[in-house]
Amino acid sequence: MEVKIDNTWRTALSRQWEEPYFKDLTDFVRERYSNPAITVYPPARKIFAAFDQCPFNMVKVVIIGQDPYHGPNQANGLCFSVNSGVPLPPSLLNIFKEIKDDIGLPEVPTDGDLSRWAKQG
């Protein structure tokens, strides 16, 4: 399994790669992805998408979620984000509604690809 990750994150996390907990986690994730009886999201090559789209020194906000997807072909490696053209999952729709209410956006976005957010930090 090959993943992409920006070099600034590789450097920032370099000591973690060698820690026993990280090896255990990596082994567990690899086992899950290699088991055809188990469905795992996002696709393996995108598990570090957030770390690849935004360099470490540019991070301003981190969004972490539990089970933000409700169906196949939704997860694209950014928490709550879905690729363009994929219907918005309920959690993302709620996030957009809260942002609209909080800062007065004129409408809720219809495109759930949050890559633009990742690139902003």
Side-chain angles (χ1 to χ4, degrees), residues 52-106:
D52 191 47
Q53 293 187 30
C54 180
F56 179 75
N57 59 329
M58 298 295 292
V59 173
K60 299 173 192 163
V61 175
V62 176
I63 300 173
I64 299 172
Q66 180 178 332
D67 305 326
Y69 308 105
H70 296 270
N73 302 317
Q74 288 183 327
N76 67 6
L78 298 175
C79 194
F80 296 101
S81 179
V82 293
N83 291 325
S84 294
V86 174
L88 302 181
S91 299
L92 181 56
L93 188 56
N94 287 337
I95 289 170
F96 285 161
K97 286 178 182 176
E98 289 298 323
I99 291 171
K100 179 182 184 287
D101 291 346
D102 288 352
I103 63 173
L105 287 179

Side-chain angles (χ1 to χ4, degrees), residues 26-43:
T26 301
D27 290 346
F28 173 78
V29 170
R30 283 190 175 131
E31 183 274 322
R32 302 298 278 194
Y33 273 100
S34 68
N35 186 338
I38 298 172
T39 302
V40 182
Y41 300 118

Side-chain angles (χ1 to χ4, degrees), residues 3 5 9-10 13-30 47-48 51:
V3 296
I5 183 170
W9 283 100
R10 286 188 191 277
L13 298 173
S14 63
R15 290 191 300 191
Q16 301 308 308
W17 307 134
E18 306 304 320
E19 294 292 328
Y21 84 88
F22 198 83
K23 182 183 179 332
D24 292 344
L25 177 61
T26 301
D27 290 346
F28 173 78
V29 170
R30 283 190 175 131
I47 62 174
F48 285 118
F51 298 116

